[in-house]
Amino acid sequence: MVVSLRSWVANEGGKHLVLMLWLGTNTWLFMKTFLLYSTGKQYHYLYKMLGLGLCISRASASVLNLNCSLVLLPMCRSLLTFVRGTHTVSSRKTRRLLDKSKTFHVACGVAICIFSVVHVSAHLVNVVNFSASYSDDFPALNLARYRGEDPKLIMLTTVPGVTGLLLVLILFLMFTSSSHYVRVSNYEIFWYTHNLFIIFYIILMVHMVGGALKYQTNLEAHPPGCLRANQSSTEQQGEELEQSEDEERRCREEAHFQPHCPQTWLWVSGPLCLYCAERLYRYIRSSDPVTIVTVIRHPCDVFELRMLKKNFKARPGQYIVLNCPHVSSFENHPFTLTTCPTENKATFGIHLRVVGDWTERFTQLLLPEQRMDLEILPMVQQRRYPKLYVDGPFGSPSEEVFNYDVSLCVAGGIGVTPFACVLHALLDGWAGFRLQRLYFVWVCRELQSFYWFAELLCAVHHKFWQENRPDYFNLKLYVSQPHNLQSMSEERYRPLTSRLLVGRPKWKLLFDEIAKTNQQKRVGVFCCGPKGISSTLHRLCNSSRFPGTTFEFNKESFS
Amino acid sequence: MGKIEWAMWANEQALASGLIYLTGGIVGVAGQFRGWQFAAFGVAAGVFVCLLEYPRSKRSKGTSVGRTGQYCFTVVVKAFGPLTRNYYVRAFIHAALCVPGGFMLATVLGCVCLGIASIIYLVAAIRGEHWEPILPRKPAQKPNVGSINKPPQNPPPRPPPETRRKRVEDLEGAAYDNAINVTADE
């Protein structure tokens, strides 16, 4: 498919700009430090002893400082949610960049690993050179105790050596357990090893203590290279040579060396304090347990949970993180809100699908009996619900649905939950938003899944027809598996059955239709579903099939 | 909560340590540093560990995704039978291979990382896990729904001919509902 420049810039331009800026900053920092150590006068003697290894190791160290401080910032989720919420501070382009915060975190992490490899290799060469070119002229400069000392011994008896080894080990553990496969199969391994980062940062801040690398302090009194001039001038007899020498080339005193003070804490302490403050804030905010009001069982292993919490405010599209100590003390699982608290109704709700062991155990605690029909248990009955803690709400890309003139929401299976909250908000009052038209496409494997939100969809449909805006809400439902097809026989779900199609959606035709009826507009495409659908939609948004209409792609992922 | 499959993590670690061991060995041999024979051993050991660890094991619960092109490695590793199935053997092999790396500076890191992987394999073996090859599935039997080339033999059910005949005097009453719903098939 041919890519259109305007669509590509609208969809990918911001991300690539940030990437270029980040790469440029890293390159500039690397070159600046490299040149400082290779041409700086105060490092002249050190450079002569260690060579290129000194410059490469220090340059990679400064890049590591930058990336270690940047890697924490995308993980301050409450801060990012706040930035997303204030429309005065950030424009829509900035908010779309916030969607990619996890990708930026991964990029900084990969950079840390690569530059750690460079840094460690260069320092290993330095250690060998410290041992081999032991300097008798400047004994203060040496790290080795005598010429030819075993490099392994140097490494294990100095603070930078030991801390460096520990840092590399922790980094190795964190890196090998964050591959996609481990995250998908055993998330706990990833989570517990990644939380070793705090030890990593503490050791990082003491890594430079001990002062292995020193710089010269008395440059005016002892210009580098002048010792040899003094020696050579004493060898030569002849006063004319002494007079022709410049004043600067005469050494007045011995070279004095001083170690650097550790600089890493300057870079790292700010983001680290910010992140720790954010974790503390989130812990305090979630320490109040919620009251479970209702539990409803839906077909296809989905449970709806309605809860109450004091001072809980959320916007449509946001998600919360649940923690149930009775099931597991340390596991936190994210769920998108399907109902937000409003002025009329203070409860908020989630729909959760039973997929893994945590959800299975949790739903067994909520509703122990296995009954086939719907079961609603109000709070009045004798029911001891487990204690539940809620952290959040956190922002997500689906909050932007209201900020486009025309939006297309594509949901796959349980991915409909962020859009369910959007529909509830429209039901409460649709006139105040910028949104003028909403296309809603929901693809499910089984027909029974549509019962999760059948009432909501019908209510929204009727509301818009009654308020004389029939073109506002355009619904298309698809059942992708044609085998064993039943039918929705209830009369009240007529708007759904007449919009139900069997088979997979034909995305090109759908986009053609939307482009033709919304010319010269920017359409926001929101996808929450399997990878196949989202990559097809992404490609279509970037293609040049639809001149005049720009499709901006926003993806929400659940993994 | 839940059963953690330690072998999966050990596999990722062992593959990464094999690569680190190999790189350290290459650097040691290329620079002809003191003790380069240990680095040469590191190269061989690194290659062996990478080849052994490349094919992923099948998960006991859930879908397993193999690494790209791992089928030929799976066949070779499977051929060794109980030697590669058992994780105690693997833990012992890794522990034995990592020891010579500790004697040379360039391979020290590979030695430590492989040692950690060996410990995790020991934990996996104690928990009773073992290696299962991921083999390609046989294609599922397609349900026999009938070919598009064979048209139906019988006509669709219709009401009896009396009601079907057009009655000029009572056009309203001549209308009948189809027994089966007709929906547009897109």
Side-chain angles (χ1 to χ4, degrees):
Chain A
M1 217 176 296
V2 179
V3 168
S4 131
L5 183 66
R6 195 186 51 185
S7 305
W8 190 89
V9 168
N11 279 315
E12 321 285 333
K15 290 187 299 202
H16 285 78
L17 183 67
V18 170
L19 181 70
M20 289 297 128
L21 273 175
W22 174 73
L23 281 177
T25 315
N26 278 316
T27 317
W28 173 79
L29 200 57
F30 190 91
M31 298 309 309
K32 181 171 102 112
T33 322
F34 189 93
L35 289 173
L36 173 68
Y37 278 85
S38 60
T39 55
K41 283 223 172 97
Q42 65 269 41
Y43 299 110
H44 176 85
Y45 293 116
L46 196 60
Y47 182 63
K48 276 196 359 183
M49 184 154 69
L50 296 177
L52 258 188
L54 169 71
C55 309
I56 293 183
S57 65
R58 294 305 305 155
S60 53
S62 59
V63 169
L64 278 175
N65 277 338
L66 174 70
N67 281 307
C68 282
S69 65
L70 283 180
V71 80
L72 284 173
L73 294 176
M75 290 293 122
C76 300
R77 291 219 187 102
S78 306
L79 185 65
L80 293 183
T81 308
F82 173 71
V83 170
R84 220 191 255 275
T86 57
H87 284 218
T88 45
V89 169
S90 55
S91 68
R92 191 169 70 199
K93 279 204 179 58
T94 325
R95 289 197 296 273
R96 285 188 74 219
L97 284 176
L98 291 178
D99 296 346
K100 293 284 158 197
S101 50
K102 197 171 85 155
T103 317
F104 185 66
H105 175 86
V106 170
C108 287
V110 168
I112 290 178
C113 288
I114 294 177
F115 281 101
S116 295
V117 170
V118 171
H119 181 80
V120 166
S121 322
H123 266 314
L124 286 179
V125 171
N126 283 345
V127 162
V128 170
N129 279 333
F130 262 129
S131 146
S133 2
Y134 181 86
S135 166
D136 297 307
D137 297 326
F138 306 106
L141 210 50
N142 288 310
L143 187 63
R145 281 179 284 267
Y146 49 87
R147 185 177 289 272
E149 185 180 6
D150 189 8
K152 285 201 288 294
L153 208 59
I154 301 179
M155 204 174 75
L156 290 173
T157 50
T158 51
V159 171
V162 171
T163 49
L165 189 64
L166 286 173
L167 285 173
V168 167
L169 280 181
I170 297 180
L171 193 64
F172 173 72
L173 281 176
M174 282 170 64
F175 181 67
T176 49
S177 52
S178 22
S179 71
H180 177 75
Y181 193 60
V182 173
R183 267 184 288 141
V184 160
S185 48
N186 283 314
Y187 194 79
E188 299 93 19
I189 296 179
F190 162 71
W191 182 242
Y192 296 139
T193 43
H194 236 66
N195 273 319
L196 291 174
F197 79 96
I198 191 75
I199 305 180
F200 181 87
Y201 275 97
I202 293 174
I203 300 183
L204 186 65
M205 292 207 264
V206 299
H207 181 56
M208 275 285 279
V209 164
L213 298 174
K214 304 180 182 64
Y215 65 99
Q216 184 184 349
T217 43
N218 54 348
L219 281 173
E220 309 82 33
H222 178 119
C226 73
L227 192 63
R228 213 181 301 140
N230 255 346
Q231 285 174 346
S232 58
S233 69
T234 50
E235 283 169 9
Q236 291 179 16
Q237 281 101 43
E239 294 191 7
E240 60 271 16
L241 281 164
E242 279 195 26
Q243 283 167 1
S244 64
E245 271 176 322
D246 296 340
E247 277 299 314
E248 294 91 60
R249 295 194 62 211
R250 210 167 294 176
C251 301
R252 285 193 282 280
E253 55 184 30
E254 289 286 314
H256 293 149
F257 296 103
Q258 201 181 342
H260 284 114
C261 20
Q263 253 192 358
T264 312
W265 68 274
L266 277 172
W267 290 90
V268 155
S269 51
L272 192 62
C273 287
L274 190 67
Y275 184 74
C276 291
E278 137 117 23
R279 287 290 285 261
L280 191 65
Y281 168 69
R282 272 166 52 182
Y283 178 73
I284 294 177
R285 192 169 62 166
S286 67
S287 58
D288 204 15
V290 298
T291 332
I292 300 181
V293 175
T294 330
V295 178
I296 307 172
R297 186 201 298 264
H298 288 284
C300 300
D301 288 334
V302 164
F303 283 76
E304 180 178 350
L305 199 65
R306 290 280 173 100
M307 299 167 274
L308 250 183
K309 186 174 170 177
K310 248 187 355 202
N311 295 332
F312 183 82
K313 291 193 192 8
R315 294 187 295 271
Q318 292 184 322
Y319 68 96
I320 55 172
V321 174
L322 291 189
N323 176 299
C324 184
H326 207 85
V327 176
S328 165
S329 341
F330 295 116
E331 282 189 29
N332 300 305
H333 290 256
F335 294 100
T336 313
L337 287 169
T338 45
T339 4
C340 293
T342 56
E343 305 100 37
N344 310 329
K345 199 158 59 88
T347 56
F348 58 97
I350 58 165
H351 277 65
L352 58 88
R353 197 164 78 117
V354 177
V355 170
D357 47 7
W358 190 90
T359 34
E360 208 176 297
R361 183 96 184 89
F362 184 55
T363 48
Q364 267 170 8
L365 285 177
L366 292 174
L367 281 182
E369 300 102 60
Q370 297 282 329
R371 295 253 291 269
M372 290 311 293
D373 48 320
L374 294 178
E375 179 175 340
I376 303 176
L377 294 167
M379 202 165 53
V380 181
Q381 278 193 11
Q382 276 284 1
R383 166 70 62 187
R384 307 244 335 170
Y385 288 126
K387 233 181 181 160
L388 190 63
Y389 296 97
V390 154
D391 190 10
F394 300 113
S396 82
S398 310
E399 287 181 51
E400 290 296 310
V401 175
F402 299 115
N403 297 326
Y404 285 92
D405 288 329
V406 181
S407 288
L408 164 66
C409 297
V410 176
I414 193 65
V416 74
T417 37
F419 306 127
C421 208
V422 165
L423 292 180
H424 269 117
L426 284 178
L427 207 53
D428 279 335
W430 55 268
F433 299 121
R434 182 178 161 179
L435 185 67
Q436 297 300 313
R437 193 173 281 171
L438 177 65
Y439 292 87
F440 193 87
V441 176
W442 188 8
V443 186
C444 279
R445 279 220 189 99
E446 294 164 355
L447 191 72
Q448 299 286 318
S449 316
F450 292 121
Y451 281 106
W452 304 336
F453 293 110
E455 311 249 343
L456 174 64
L457 290 172
C458 290
V460 171
H461 171 86
H462 283 308
K463 180 178 169 90
F464 281 114
W465 274 75
Q466 303 215 323
E467 303 194 5
N468 201 20
R469 286 294 298 269
D471 62 325
Y472 195 111
F473 183 58
N474 303 285
L475 178 66
K476 286 183 179 31
L477 304 175
Y478 290 86
V479 179
S480 56
Q481 271 188 9
H483 307 302
N484 304 328
L485 197 60
Q486 299 120 352
S487 67
M488 271 178 152
S489 49
E490 292 93 337
E491 181 55 40
R492 63 179 193 273
Y493 295 145
R494 208 49 193 294
L496 303 187
T497 45
S498 51
R499 287 165 175 78
L500 180 67
L501 299 158
V502 177
R504 296 225 168 111
K506 293 184 172 52
W507 300 113
K508 285 199 186 118
L509 297 181
L510 184 67
F511 271 62
D512 278 338
E513 178 195 328
I514 297 180
K516 262 199 279 255
T517 43
N518 298 287
Q519 305 225 344
Q520 306 300 328
K521 285 234 179 0
R522 225 161 241 267
V523 178
V525 178
F526 297 87
C527 176
C528 185
K531 234 166 130 71
I533 297 183
S534 63
S535 41
T536 314
L537 290 181
H538 199 167
R539 246 188 331 206
L540 270 176
C541 290
N542 278 339
S543 77
S544 58
R545 275 173 73 102
F546 321 106
T549 321
T550 319
F551 288 91
E552 283 192 5
F553 183 68
N554 303 285
K555 182 174 75 139
E556 169 138 16
S557 66
F558 274 176
S559 64
Chain B
M1 70 158 297
K3 291 175 68 70
I4 296 183
E5 292 190 32
W6 294 94
M8 195 158 315
W9 185 29
N11 174 272
E12 302 269 331
Q13 292 234 295
L15 189 62
S17 338
L19 286 170
I20 295 175
Y21 211 10
L22 176 66
T23 316
I26 292 177
V27 164
V29 168
Q32 290 285 307
F33 293 121
R34 203 169 52 193
W36 65 271
Q37 293 90 346
F38 290 112
F41 176 81
V43 170
V47 169
F48 174 72
V49 165
C50 285
L51 290 176
L52 176 64
E53 297 293 338
Y54 191 74
R56 274 204 189 111
S57 160
K58 195 148 89 146
R59 284 173 66 189
S60 52
K61 216 170 49 157
T63 48
S64 335
V65 178
R67 297 198 172 98
T68 29
Q70 81 165 34
Y71 180 61
C72 31
F73 296 96
T74 313
V75 167
V76 171
V77 172
K78 187 164 116 94
F80 282 93
L83 273 183
T84 43
R85 246 174 79 91
N86 194 324
Y87 283 144
Y88 281 111
V89 173
R90 273 202 206 195
F92 179 70
I93 290 179
H94 289 325
L97 284 177
C98 82
V99 166
F103 292 106
M104 205 226 157
L105 189 61
T107 48
V108 151
L109 196 60
C111 156
V112 177
C113 296
L114 198 55
I116 295 179
S118 155
I119 293 175
I120 305 180
Y121 261 129
L122 192 65
V123 172
I126 293 173
R127 303 270 315 246
E129 300 174 23
H130 56 266
W131 187 81
E132 279 284 333
I134 300 181
L135 295 166
R137 272 183 308 138
K138 287 188 244 314
Q141 290 283 350
K142 283 224 151 63
N144 198 4
V145 286
S147 157
I148 198 170
N149 297 323
K150 273 189 354 183
Q153 314 291 4
N154 304 314
R158 290 197 177 96
E162 302 82 54
T163 29
R164 264 191 285 140
R165 213 176 338 129
K166 188 162 172 179
R167 292 184 300 195
V168 185
E169 65 275 7
D170 185 13
L171 276 174
E172 295 268 337
Y176 62 87
D177 283 325
N178 273 327
I180 301 177
N181 271 337
V182 176
T183 50
D185 205 15
E186 277 177 38

